Amino acid sequence: MDLILWRHAEAEDAPPGGSDQDRPLTSKGKAGARDVAAWLSARLPGHYVLLSSPAVRARETARFLRPGPVIDPALSTGTTPSAFLSVIGWPDRPETVVAVGHQPTLGEVAALILTGERFPWVIRKGALWWFRIRPEKGDGPVLRAVLSPEMVSSLP
């Protein structure tokens, strides 16, 4: 299984009295999500599953990769790493999964995958962490790539 944890791109602040769930991406966030999606789409297999938090900023980020992500409340803010991993089917799902979500959950999921412990690791806005595991071969998890929007925009 390949798992790509993709944190939503930079979003507007919530207006006073506004909902955190309704925050759209900034113009910088849109540009970063577009760049990361272009890099990612050139490397993904033909068939993959795209999952997103229901928050506007996560859905907007996911749509740069491909329209129509599957929206799952278990990827929302405040979910636990174990609930997140259960929904995406780690480590046994046969397809590649791209999951667009939030901090601190994504950082905690990354730590749990690599160390077996829940640590408050930070995944920057718009960045992705790509993991691979092949339990049928007896392999443990491998971190294949870490990429931020700034890194992609500086590539030739």
Side-chain angles (χ1 to χ4, degrees), residues 14 16 21 28 32 37 42 51 54 57 61 82 84 88-89 98 101 106-107 111-112 117 133 139 151 155:
Q21 294 294 309
K28 178 182 175 184
L51 302 172
R57 60 194 180 276
T61 298
S82 58
F84 187 99
I88 60 168
V98 179
L106 291 181
L112 195 56
E117 300 286 332
I133 192 166
D139 294 345
M151 292 171 69
L155 292 175

Side-chain angles (χ1 to χ4, degrees), residues 30-48:
K30 289 176 184 176
R34 185 179 309 111
D35 290 346
V36 170
W39 182 91
L40 191 53
S41 65
R43 289 156 179 84
L44 282 169
H47 177 70
Y48 60 93

Side-chain angles (χ1 to χ4, degrees), residues 1-5 90-91 109-115 121 128-135 137-146:
M1 173 182 190
D2 280 18
L3 169 61
I4 295 102
L5 301 177
W90 177 268
V109 166
L112 195 56
I113 288 171
L114 288 177
T115 71
W121 290 359
L128 64 82
W129 288 37
W130 187 329
F131 299 93
R132 173 172 284 166
I133 192 166
R134 300 284 188 254
K137 294 182 178 182
D139 294 345
V142 174
L143 180 59
R144 296 191 67 209
V146 174

Side-chain angles (χ1 to χ4, degrees), residues 7-113:
R7 185 175 176 195
H8 68 78
E10 181 181 280
E12 300 286 346
D13 291 333
S19 170
D20 178 61
Q21 294 294 309
D22 296 332
R23 297 187 303 128
L25 296 180
T26 63
S27 58
K28 178 182 175 184
K30 289 176 184 176
R34 185 179 309 111
D35 290 346
V36 170
W39 182 91
L40 191 53
S41 65
R43 289 156 179 84
L44 282 169
H47 177 70
Y48 60 93
V49 177
L50 177 60
L51 302 172
S52 175
S53 156
V56 169
R57 60 194 180 276
R59 292 192 329 253
E60 287 182 349
T61 298
R63 286 188 186 124
F64 279 102
L65 183 58
R66 178 178 77 190
V70 175
I71 308 303
D72 196 312
L75 303 184
S76 199
T77 58
T79 195
T80 66
S82 58
F84 187 99
L85 288 169
S86 177
V87 164
I88 60 168
W90 177 268
D92 300 316
R93 192 173 189 150
E95 306 98 347
T96 294
V97 174
V98 179
V100 182
H102 308 272
Q103 274 297 100
T105 304
L106 291 181
E108 292 173 349
V109 166
L112 195 56
I113 288 171

